Each structure stands twice: as C-alpha cells, then as structure tokens.
Amino acid sequence: MSAPHLDVEEVEAANAVYYEAQESGDFERLTSLWLTPSDLGVDESYHDPADTGVISCVHPGWPVLTGRGEVLRSYALIMANTDYIQFFLTDTHVSVTGDTAVVTCTENILSGGPAPDDGDELGPLVGQLVVATNVFRRTADGWKLWSHHASPVLAETDEEEGEESPS
C-alpha cells in the first residue's frame, strides 16, 4: 500500500473513533482526540491551554466555539444531557494533503434524552440529518481533530417542492 492510502485509512479510523467516543459518552477519549497547544508547538507555560484558540467547533445551531475550554465544555454539556446517541455516517469523503486531512460526511443521528419524570426508559428518540466537516492534523500521536463543523440539513416541505398551498 502507498503512504497516501495509509494516511486515508488512518484518518478514517480517527474519524470513526471520534464518533464512537460520542456514542459511548467517553469524555476522556473524546478529549484525547482534539489537538492540544503542544501538538502545534505552542508553549503552554506562556499560554493557558484551555484558552488557546487552536481548535474550533460548530454544533448545529450553535455559535463558533474556539479553544479547548469552550469546545470540550460543549461536549461535556451534550453528553450530560443526552442519554442515547448513535451516528450512521454516509457520503463520507476523506482528502489528505500533507499533514492536514478533511473529512466530509452526512451524520444520520438518532438520539434520545432523559425520560419524563425520571423514569427508567429513554425519552422519545429523535432523528436528525446533519452535514459535517472534520479537519484533522497529523501529530506525533497520530491524527487529531483541529475543527468540527456541523450544520443541519433542512427538510423539504411539499410547498418547497413546488406545490402551492390552498388560498
């Protein structure tokens, strides 16, 4: 196998681990997947690693989050308020150039929150369709996330498909 093919396989694997960590609620694993200031040669003795804007994240409907502190807090919040989440990735494409890789995909998400009135079962399951771009950077410890950007896919209604509504 050629080196570029191996790079693509390694990025695909890193991308899969990112989604697996979310599904399992493994916050420590998720944290380890994101770039750190030291991965980029930033001297942490002069910069607070939580505030260094080396990574960014946009969750559907959220503003841009920058820096490890904001990004990781967002995942902690999501994990604390989501009892069940599963990602079915489709339309995945990986592009690697040097030490940077871009993964585009469609996230077909199935999630459920807490049950009403603290019951034992999950709340209602909700499906969502999201398109995502994940940017990875090669480090000494393998490929790590640099940026995640996810946007909802708006569902078409009958009116949008050209049907007129009754007057």
Side-chain angles (χ1 to χ4, degrees), residues 54-116:
V54 297
I55 62 174
S56 65
C57 180
V58 177
H59 298 294
W62 291 41
V64 176
L65 305 172
T66 58
R68 287 185 62 82
E70 282 190 8
V71 170
L72 296 177
R73 272 191 297 277
S74 74
Y75 282 98
L77 180 64
I78 290 168
M79 288 178 172
N81 290 291
T82 306
D83 285 350
Y84 175 83
I85 191 162
Q86 190 170 11
F87 294 88
F88 301 94
L89 302 182
T90 57
D91 309 316
T92 303
H93 178 75
V94 178
S95 177
V96 179
T97 303
D99 290 337
T100 304
V102 176
V103 178
T104 57
C105 61
T106 300
E107 301 174 352
N108 302 272
I109 305 170
L110 186 60
S111 62

Side-chain angles (χ1 to χ4, degrees), residues 3-162:
H5 186 73
L6 288 175
D7 285 344
V8 168
E9 288 179 1
E10 290 172 359
V11 172
E12 287 172 338
N15 196 62
V17 169
Y18 165 65
Y19 287 101
E20 289 166 6
Q22 290 181 75
E23 288 179 346
S24 66
D26 188 342
F27 184 72
E28 287 185 31
R29 180 72 175 140
L30 184 80
T31 298
S32 73
L33 300 172
W34 285 90
L35 280 173
T36 64
S38 61
D39 290 327
L40 298 175
V42 174
D43 185 346
E44 293 183 44
S45 63
Y46 294 102
H47 300 281
D48 180 353
D51 293 330
T52 304
V54 297
I55 62 174
S56 65
C57 180
V58 177
H59 298 294
W62 291 41
V64 176
L65 305 172
T66 58
R68 287 185 62 82
E70 282 190 8
V71 170
L72 296 177
R73 272 191 297 277
S74 74
Y75 282 98
L77 180 64
I78 290 168
M79 288 178 172
N81 290 291
T82 306
D83 285 350
Y84 175 83
I85 191 162
Q86 190 170 11
F87 294 88
F88 301 94
L89 302 182
T90 57
D91 309 316
T92 303
H93 178 75
V94 178
S95 177
V96 179
T97 303
D99 290 337
T100 304
V102 176
V103 178
T104 57
C105 61
T106 300
E107 301 174 352
N108 302 272
I109 305 170
L110 186 60
S111 62
D117 299 326
D118 296 326
D120 290 335
E121 297 187 20
L122 285 175
L125 292 177
V126 177
Q128 186 178 17
L129 191 61
V130 173
V131 290
T133 301
N134 298 321
V135 181
F136 291 85
R137 181 165 173 155
R138 186 192 324 260
T139 72
D141 297 322
W143 292 94
K144 290 193 177 183
L145 270 164
W146 194 348
S147 181
H148 169 75
H149 186 130
S151 298
V153 175
L154 301 178
E156 293 183 15
T157 65
D158 290 341
E159 288 181 24
E160 290 172 340
E161 293 174 359

